[in-house]
Amino acid sequence: MKRTLLEILIISTISIITGFSYIFLKKIEIFPESTEIYLFSKKYPEIKLLNTDEVLKIYKKQNVVIIDARDRISYSQGHIKDAINIPYDEFELYPEFFLNLFKKDNQLIIYCEGGYCEQSFIVAEGLLKKGFKNIYVYIDGYPEWEKKGLPHEKVPF
Amino acid sequence: MVILNGKKKDYPMKKFLFNKIWIRVLQIFLGILFIYSGILKILNLFEFSLTVAKYGILPEKLINLFSTMLPFFEVVSGFFLLSGFFIQGASLIISFLLFIFIAAVVYVVSKGLSFECGCFEILGKEPKTGVLLILRNIILMVLSLNVFVSKLKKQT
């Protein structure tokens, strides 16, 4: 049994050393702020991530379309002013249905509940695959927007 | 081999399971399988990390570390199993990894979820989390334990 333990120790040491060398060489962030966001940004570097201040700078421009990727009930309870609702689950099923809501050269800012929520990523990924280029994900999401008292509205469901 | 009425009796199944050639075949099979599986994960590290996140077992902060380290354990253990060095240690690590995979898939299946497992592809198709995957991993774990026990028996 002693021999087995020694072998396990040797194999584990080699694995850990090679693993960390790879992490160092590839500059992988081991403990990112949010793993989902980090991984998504690595997978799709063309999709830019924005915080609240960055969204505020561009969101009133004429060319900008704000997309709420949450479900219809959440959207009706409150959303960023003038945002259109593209529920992520409906978008996954019928993407073509939503594509005529904006033009290819529009700047699309997508948001959901912020932080760990992946609805914006699903919609952003889908739009990227459909050929849209100016895609942004607002990572702080609606709760932060509402908390800061920025323009928002409700619609009856 | 057991002693019955003063006569030694061999069990053919036992004889087969501890047969030198059978063990060598298992070593090569499991070795190649885990090297292949590990390399595939390293090449698609971000997709693999996203799959690990989908399992919803690890805290978010640990996902990157775990999903980067795991493929290296697979490749190094697979390499040692294939090369014939440190076979006991390598087969035990592989058995342990398979045990973790089984537990993870059982957890996901019990929650009613089904998605691509993040393990190696078979005939270009990645299996989904489900009972078949659990069964496949159990068979692989038994084979790996077969190698471990046979080497341990030889040593003692």
Side-chain angles (χ1 to χ4, degrees), chain A residues 123-157:
Chain A
V123 175
E125 189 178 7
L127 288 172
L128 190 73
K129 284 177 183 167
K130 292 285 175 195
F132 288 88
K133 288 194 171 71
N134 303 316
I135 303 171
Y136 303 85
V137 169
Y138 170 36
I139 46 171
D140 294 336
Y142 182 68
E144 184 69 15
W145 186 270
E146 193 187 25
K147 207 171 102 185
K148 289 197 169 174
L150 296 165
H152 59 281
E153 58 191 354
K154 288 179 187 179
V155 286
F157 183 64

Side-chain angles (χ1 to χ4, degrees), chain B residues 105 109 128-136:
Chain B
V105 180
V109 171
K128 286 198 165 191
T129 52
V131 181
L132 276 177
L133 185 66
I134 297 170
L135 208 67
R136 185 190 82 177

Side-chain angles (χ1 to χ4, degrees), chain A:
Chain A
M1 211 60 202
K2 233 181 187 177
R3 189 179 149 179
T4 312
L5 287 174
L6 185 72
E7 286 182 11
I8 290 174
L9 193 73
I10 293 169
I11 294 169
S12 303
T13 309
I14 296 171
S15 306
I16 290 168
I17 291 171
T18 45
F20 272 108
S21 309
Y22 188 80
I23 285 171
F24 179 73
L25 284 172
K26 289 273 174 183
K27 293 177 181 149
I28 296 169
E29 218 174 305
I30 314 176
F31 301 115
E33 192 85 350
S34 165
T35 306
E36 289 270 328
I37 292 170
Y38 169 77
L39 293 170
F40 187 81
S41 62
K42 284 280 174 187
K43 194 175 171 188
Y44 299 109
E46 50 278 70
I47 297 175
K48 295 154 209 90
L49 305 177
L50 304 177
N51 59 27
T52 308
D53 294 336
E54 287 164 328
V55 173
L56 272 172
K57 275 181 201 163
I58 60 167
Y59 102 108
K60 275 193 175 168
K61 283 184 186 170
Q62 224 180 10
N63 199 26
V64 172
V65 176
I66 302 186
I67 298 168
D68 187 319
R70 300 172 302 160
D71 58 65
R72 289 186 186 278
I73 297 173
S74 308
Y75 176 81
S76 71
Q77 287 167 346
H79 57 261
I80 295 178
K81 195 170 182 300
D82 300 329
I84 57 168
N85 187 206
I86 301 186
Y88 72 100
D89 48 349
E90 291 178 30
F91 181 76
E92 271 186 313
L93 289 173
Y94 321 105
E96 310 297 338
F97 184 77
F98 298 97
L99 296 180
N100 57 358
L101 293 173
F102 29 78
K103 294 175 197 151
K104 289 260 171 178
D105 62 340
N106 278 145
Q107 287 184 299
L108 308 173
I109 303 176
I110 308 158
Y111 72 89
C112 47
E113 285 295 330
Y116 201 65
C117 83
E118 60 176 344
Q119 290 109 316
S120 341
F121 296 144
I122 293 169
V123 175
E125 189 178 7
L127 288 172
L128 190 73
K129 284 177 183 167
K130 292 285 175 195
F132 288 88
K133 288 194 171 71
N134 303 316
I135 303 171
Y136 303 85
V137 169
Y138 170 36
I139 46 171
D140 294 336
Y142 182 68
E144 184 69 15
W145 186 270
E146 193 187 25
K147 207 171 102 185
K148 289 197 169 174
L150 296 165
H152 59 281
E153 58 191 354
K154 288 179 187 179
V155 286
F157 183 64

Side-chain angles (χ1 to χ4, degrees), chain B residues 63-120:
Chain B
I63 289 170
N64 260 15
L65 182 67
F66 174 82
S67 46
T68 313
M69 283 299 166
L70 180 82
F72 286 95
F73 272 88
E74 288 187 6
V75 172
V76 175
S77 305
F79 170 77
F80 278 117
L81 212 55
L82 193 66
S83 66
F85 296 106
F86 304 148
I87 298 166
Q88 278 168 242
S91 55
L92 203 62
I93 288 177
I94 285 177
S95 305
F96 179 65
L97 291 179
L98 285 162
F99 175 75
I100 295 173
F101 299 160
I102 293 165
V105 180
V106 167
Y107 173 77
V108 167
V109 171
S110 72
K111 284 183 107 183
L113 298 171
S114 178
F115 48 82
E116 283 176 350
C117 65
C119 35
F120 49 87

Side-chain angles (χ1 to χ4, degrees), chain B residues 17-30:
Chain B
L17 287 176
F18 295 129
N19 183 287
K20 243 184 182 177
I21 299 167
W22 168 246
I23 296 300
R24 188 67 195 137
V25 168
L26 285 185
Q27 275 174 243
I28 294 168
F29 168 68
L30 290 169

